[in-house]
Amino acid sequence: MQPAIDDFHRLITEDAAAARAAVGQLDAAFLARGILFAGKAMPAHLRPHFFSREQRRQLETAAASVLHAALAAEKGLFGGNREALFEALRIQDAERQLLRTDPGYDNPVVWTRLDAFPTPDGIFFLEFNHDAPAGVGYSAAMTEIYLDLPIVRRFAEQYVLESDEPRPALLAALLATYRDFGGQEHPNIGIVDWTDVRTSSDQIILRDYFIREGYHAVIADPREVELRDGRLYAGDTRLDIVYRRVVTSELLTKLDETRDFTTAYEIRAACFINSFRCRVSENKAFFAFLTDPSQLSFLSDEARTTLLKHLPWTRIVAEQHTTLPNGQRVDLCEHVACHRAAFVLKPADAYGGTNVYVGSETDDATWEQALRRAVRDDALWVVQQRVATPVETFPIHHADGTFTFEPMKYNANPFYLGGQIAGAVVRTSQSAVINVSAGGGSIPTFTVAPRQSA
């Protein structure tokens, strides 16, 4: 993709005034369309991310296969004893109650976003984001905005651009799951999250899309919905589908304020998507089982190979001996303490890049302190083999109007929607912790190919 990247950057350097105007257009469009994070325009670059068709195919194939293998592993771990798995993941009683509840359909992960590092050594997935991830609305709207930029239209004179539109696949997944749930009516859709969440504009984009497609859709706070005669309501709107965007860990801290919401889930007053059962395979400690060959004997050879190929070696932080990928038996904490540059340390049940320690960017004292905390903490922490962070050059627009081209770390985030990969965003950062919540930015992706000369 380097020739395409160079050609786009050349358009910036050859007409800096036009590039500056494009940045202004981009910012104005973000504000107008609600591409916001924490009330401000989403941080972005003038150049979107480019995939070749082969790169896109590889990413989509890897993402679908690793997720299917992980969900198969979830069913078979501990001989299918879910309570034993809950215990191993140290899931608290209040959450276990939600996980024990049958949501009315089988699929624990209807939609998700995966965090992928495309590296020269292969594609690695560092996390699954099943529990109400944002981004589908942002991705679709950003794609439309970038396609309207004059500099992108000039680039399209040289290259064929294939863009993403994940919203139809998301809506189809919601409707298919609603039918599996037994829903017969033309459903109303409730997007449910806290009113002050930083990604509320992503929800507005999706609400407006659902309405355009002929579905009554509202955004509601879980503290304000009500049970009436066995059905869930937001104001006067009966909610048939709950597109759940409220994060479970936050919900568990406010159960007294959200009793109707959780009761509605327990009695199937509405179809909740994703169900709370998605939390098991999202838990970062779950990767400790997925990357331990001794735990995977019940899986097919293909599934085991997929997991070990695409997931970084992960272990729950505890005073224990374990086996490294090369077969060496080691004292886990001692080994991690002595080889911090090879590892990342993070809580098993956290999001937004909080409390993530990248060994190569952490001093010895801080690393040792974090490791001691991880061992003693009531909540689980994991240590994960560090994967080389992909780096790509992006244009940086400065306050004085000039551009520089600087290396940025990035990850690719494909959306899995109803059994298929449908679109992706890319997030960039100067830090090894790549997350918009942790100060990163987000850009749309395009699959590009040179136009054939006449």
Side-chain angles (χ1 to χ4, degrees):
M1 280 293 92
Q2 195 59 49
I5 292 171
D6 292 342
D7 285 340
F8 194 98
H9 291 175
R10 191 173 300 113
L11 292 174
I12 294 174
T13 57
E14 288 177 351
D15 194 342
R20 285 193 293 272
V23 169
Q25 180 180 337
L26 187 65
D27 288 345
F30 274 25
L31 291 172
R33 293 287 300 276
I35 315 298
L36 310 175
F37 184 79
K40 298 180 180 180
M42 178 75 72
H45 303 286
L46 183 55
R47 178 177 70 77
H49 181 79
F50 298 145
F51 286 115
S52 69
R53 287 171 177 156
E54 178 59 19
Q55 288 171 332
R56 175 61 70 109
R57 184 195 66 78
Q58 291 175 352
L59 178 65
E60 292 182 350
T61 299
S65 62
V66 80
L67 187 55
H68 292 159
L71 295 178
E74 180 188 344
K75 290 182 179 180
L77 281 168
F78 297 94
N81 185 335
R82 292 183 62 81
E83 293 297 326
L85 182 55
F86 297 165
E87 189 68 27
L89 297 176
R90 214 177 291 175
I91 295 172
Q92 300 301 307
D93 289 343
E95 183 173 358
R96 289 192 195 194
Q97 184 60 40
L98 293 173
L99 297 180
R100 291 176 183 132
T101 299
D102 183 347
Y105 59 90
D106 291 334
N107 190 355
V109 179
V110 175
W111 63 287
T112 187
R113 191 189 72 232
L114 295 84
D115 288 358
F117 275 24
T119 78
D121 296 326
I123 298 171
F124 293 90
F125 297 91
L126 275 66
E127 293 182 5
F128 301 149
N129 297 277
H130 305 332
D131 194 28
V136 172
Y138 285 147
S139 173
M142 284 193 297
T143 297
E144 294 172 352
I145 289 168
Y146 273 79
L147 285 172
D148 195 44
L149 293 177
I151 191 170
V152 173
R153 293 202 298 269
R154 288 199 299 275
F155 179 76
E157 295 172 2
Q158 300 173 262
Y159 291 87
V160 177
L161 299 183
E162 298 170 5
S163 58
D164 294 335
E165 172 48 287
R167 289 174 295 186
L170 174 61
L171 178 57
L174 297 177
L175 297 177
T177 304
Y178 179 65
R179 290 191 293 270
D180 291 343
F181 175 80
Q184 301 294 322
E185 300 148 312
H186 188 77
N188 300 329
I189 303 172
I191 303 172
V192 181
D193 202 353
W194 316 116
T195 53
D196 57 353
V197 71
R198 290 183 291 179
T199 55
S200 59
S201 53
D202 182 64
Q203 301 169 16
I204 293 169
I205 293 167
L206 292 177
R207 179 203 61 190
D208 293 348
Y209 173 78
F210 296 151
I211 292 172
R212 288 199 301 273
E213 292 300 307
Y215 295 89
H216 184 57
V218 297
I219 298 172
D221 190 294
R223 294 166 292 195
E224 298 173 356
V225 297
E226 296 179 333
L227 270 174
R228 302 176 201 156
D229 300 322
R231 302 301 296 268
L232 187 64
Y233 285 82
D236 294 331
T237 300
R238 184 193 70 240
L239 304 184
D240 303 306
I241 295 174
V242 170
Y243 178 66
R244 186 176 65 84
R245 288 289 298 272
V246 60
V247 175
T248 306
S249 58
E250 296 178 357
L251 182 70
L252 292 171
T253 67
K254 300 180 181 180
L255 288 176
D256 289 342
E257 302 174 60
T258 58
R259 188 58 59 192
D260 277 15
F261 182 70
T262 54
T263 301
Y265 177 71
E266 292 168 356
I267 68 173
R268 301 188 199 173
C271 180
F272 281 59
I273 308 171
N274 281 324
S275 77
F276 291 102
R277 289 184 171 181
C278 74
R279 287 270 293 174
V280 175
S281 54
E282 184 194 64
N283 191 303
K284 297 173 184 63
F286 184 63
F287 277 39
F289 302 107
L290 299 183
T291 60
D292 184 349
S294 69
Q295 300 278 355
L296 304 177
S297 59
F298 62 91
L299 287 179
S300 68
D301 290 344
E302 180 181 6
R304 282 198 305 272
T305 299
T306 294
L307 293 171
L308 297 174
K309 177 181 179 181
H310 291 297
L311 300 181
W313 180 92
T314 305
R315 291 294 183 269
I316 294 170
V317 179
E319 296 288 357
Q320 62 165 318
H321 284 77
T322 192
T323 303
L324 299 176
N326 64 7
Q328 180 185 0
R329 191 78 175 165
V330 298
D331 179 295
L332 177 66
C333 292
E334 180 181 295
H335 184 79
V336 170
C338 295
H339 300 85
R340 63 172 172 78
F343 297 105
V344 176
L345 188 65
K346 53 189 173 182
D349 187 20
Y351 66 97
T354 56
N355 290 322
V356 176
Y357 297 88
V358 179
S360 60
E361 298 185 1
T362 305
D363 61 70
D364 285 337
T366 303
W367 183 255
E368 291 174 9
Q369 182 181 23
L371 187 57
R372 286 196 301 270
R373 174 187 175 187
V375 172
R376 298 170 183 169
D377 202 332
D378 290 336
L380 288 181
W381 286 60
V382 299
V383 61
Q384 194 170 70
Q385 183 180 18
R386 188 185 175 193
V387 176
T389 308
V391 176
E392 196 169 280
T393 302
F394 284 93
I396 307 298
H397 181 245
H398 299 282
D400 63 1
T402 61
F403 288 88
T404 56
F405 301 93
E406 300 179 12
M408 299 288 291
K409 299 178 176 67
Y410 76 93
N411 63 16
N413 311 119
F415 298 110
Y416 176 93
L417 305 169
Q420 63 177 309
I421 303 298
V425 293
V426 160
R427 294 179 297 173
T428 70
S429 176
Q430 293 182 332
S431 166
V433 179
I434 303 172
N435 191 290
V436 175
S437 298
S442 182
I443 52 176
T445 66
F446 291 90
T447 303
V448 306
R451 290 192 179 277
Q452 300 298 320
S453 56

